[in-house]
Amino acid sequence: MAELPKTSSVPVVRADFGENVVWERVKVEIAEPTEEGFGADVEFVEDRTLNGLSEAVIANSYPHDYPHRYRHPVLFVVDTIAASTSGHPVLVINLNAWVDAEPFRALARQVQSIQNNLSLANMDYLEFARSTDADGIFRGF
């Protein structure tokens, strides 16, 4: 089971260590405010134990145990797929014990929307998960 740092911000976990320039680019895409001026309240962390693991293994490394074990109901992971695909579709993992939902992917530029809306309870995880395209990627509403 993977450990998350105790942060006040939602973790964005690096799970691909192929190229530092890609990691830095994804961090900029996530941290940059949206056109409406919204920023993501996230903390970037690295976890080399996840390097090279599949999406399923990474997702299963984090049990649905919010609010008991985790401070946040969601986790973003920059894995090999995110690092090597246009738009950097990060893996979005549900941690909420009361929500039965599979992970999905979201473009890095959509992390702000997801994080902001979940933290304000404007929307829930399922609304984003159900709004993915045919390829399983959330590109916005």
Side-chain angles (χ1 to χ4, degrees):
M1 188 171 352
E3 290 295 320
L4 285 177
K6 305 281 189 234
T7 68
S8 59
S9 301
V10 175
V12 176
V13 178
R14 180 181 186 184
D16 176 84
F17 292 85
E19 296 195 33
N20 287 334
V21 68
V22 173
W23 172 239
E24 294 303 322
R25 187 176 311 128
V26 173
K27 287 170 45 179
V28 167
E29 288 178 22
I30 291 172
E32 188 174 288
T34 65
E35 292 178 12
E36 297 84 12
F38 297 107
D41 182 16
V42 298
E43 182 171 329
F44 298 100
V45 297
E46 299 186 13
D47 188 346
R48 290 193 178 273
T49 65
L50 301 175
N51 190 36
L53 298 180
S54 71
E55 175 181 316
V57 171
I58 292 171
N60 288 329
S61 295
Y62 299 98
H64 295 192
D65 205 12
Y66 166 85
H68 310 292
R69 180 183 180 140
Y70 304 119
R71 296 182 69 175
H72 308 286
V74 69
L75 166 70
F76 301 100
V77 179
V78 180
D79 62 353
T80 302
I81 293 171
S84 63
T85 305
S86 177
H88 306 293
V90 300
L91 184 61
V92 184
I93 300 173
N94 169 49
L95 300 176
N96 194 326
W98 296 294
V99 177
D100 185 23
E102 295 297 318
F104 66 92
R105 291 195 175 269
L107 296 180
R109 291 294 299 147
Q110 294 300 320
V111 168
Q112 301 92 330
S113 174
I114 296 167
Q115 184 277 314
N116 284 200
N117 282 294
L118 292 179
S119 69
L120 297 172
N122 285 339
M123 299 176 75
D124 64 31
Y125 185 92
L126 290 173
E127 289 177 88
F128 289 101
R130 291 178 181 147
S131 297
T132 59
D133 288 345
D135 59 1
I137 299 173
F138 176 77
R139 290 182 165 80
F141 293 106

